[in-house]
Amino acid sequence: AWGGALVNTGFTIKICYNSINTIRQAVAEQLAAAINAKGNEIAQGKFHAAALPVLWKDYIPAMDAHKLPCFMIGWLADYADIHNFAYPYAHSHGAFAYAQLYNNPQNDQLLAKGVYTPDGPVRSQLYNDVMINFYNDCPTIVLYIAVGRGYRKDWVQGHYYNALYPGMYAYDKWKWPTI
């Protein structure tokens, strides 16, 4: 960063997570340890990172007020479309882009066009361009995607995997004896 000056200057950062989320805590602690180790390796110990728990009641307001220096947050789809993932992170008015003060006018234009473009190669290229811009700007680092398991008896019928719904929705399940 800054033409290599960061290695000589160093930095201190707090990696925030909501305090009751043990998975985010573990990731924040691992990330801090990795930054500190790399700081010792290439910057003579000038990189300093620490995990910082924040109460959930304060977490989102602090994120929206741009008061968290580095934070972890997740996104569940509202609907099954790439726009639902691209907009929150890559559009200047998206929930997480706004929280990070990320602003790329080209992405804003591409997303405004993409949402109204029918599925196909033109739309695919628009969102691919958004992804390339986002990758090059690097406002966010995607760390992990949560994976879960669901267990049920073999006589439970009606279950199908739905990536848009976390957990198990029981309303459409029924019992049917197996033979």
Side-chain angles (χ1 to χ4, degrees), residues 4-176:
L6 190 62
V7 172
N8 296 324
T9 306
F11 66 87
T12 299
I13 191 163
K14 302 290 185 190
I15 302 167
C16 302
Y17 64 93
N18 51 308
S19 58
I20 62 168
N21 192 316
T22 56
I23 293 172
R24 288 186 186 157
Q25 177 184 359
V27 172
E29 289 171 353
Q30 290 171 14
L31 186 56
I35 290 169
N36 291 331
K38 189 54 85 171
N40 286 331
E41 179 184 322
I42 65 169
Q44 294 79 42
K46 294 179 183 174
F47 296 178
H48 306 282
L52 177 67
V54 178
L55 293 174
W56 184 248
K57 71 177 185 66
D58 301 325
Y59 199 77
I60 299 299
M63 184 184 81
D64 289 341
H66 322 295
K67 293 182 178 177
L68 300 180
C70 177
F71 60 89
M72 285 190 273
I73 197 74
W75 182 258
L76 291 173
D78 298 307
Y79 52 93
D81 188 84
I82 186 62
H83 191 79
N84 187 247
F85 290 92
Y87 189 91
Y89 289 96
H91 191 283
S92 61
H93 294 294
F96 306 131
Y98 174 78
Q100 298 175 99
L101 299 174
Y102 175 65
N103 183 2
N104 183 321
Q106 184 181 15
N107 275 355
D108 290 355
Q109 292 172 354
L110 290 167
L111 289 165
K113 187 174 179 181
V115 72
Y116 293 108
T117 303
D119 284 342
V122 173
R123 189 169 198 250
S124 179
Q125 187 59 52
L126 291 170
Y127 284 96
N128 190 60
D129 291 346
V130 169
M131 180 186 67
I132 290 169
N133 291 339
F134 189 80
Y135 177 82
N136 289 332
D137 292 343
C138 195
T140 296
I141 299 171
V142 179
L143 295 174
Y144 67 94
I145 297 173
V147 176
R149 291 183 171 84
Y151 301 96
R152 65 204 148 277
K153 295 286 191 177
D154 59 357
W155 43 257
V156 173
Q157 305 296 311
H159 180 75
Y160 63 93
Y161 176 72
N162 183 347
L164 300 180
Y165 186 84
M168 186 182 289
Y169 184 65
Y171 185 76
D172 57 355
K173 312 288 183 282
W174 69 92
K175 292 184 194 180
W176 192 264

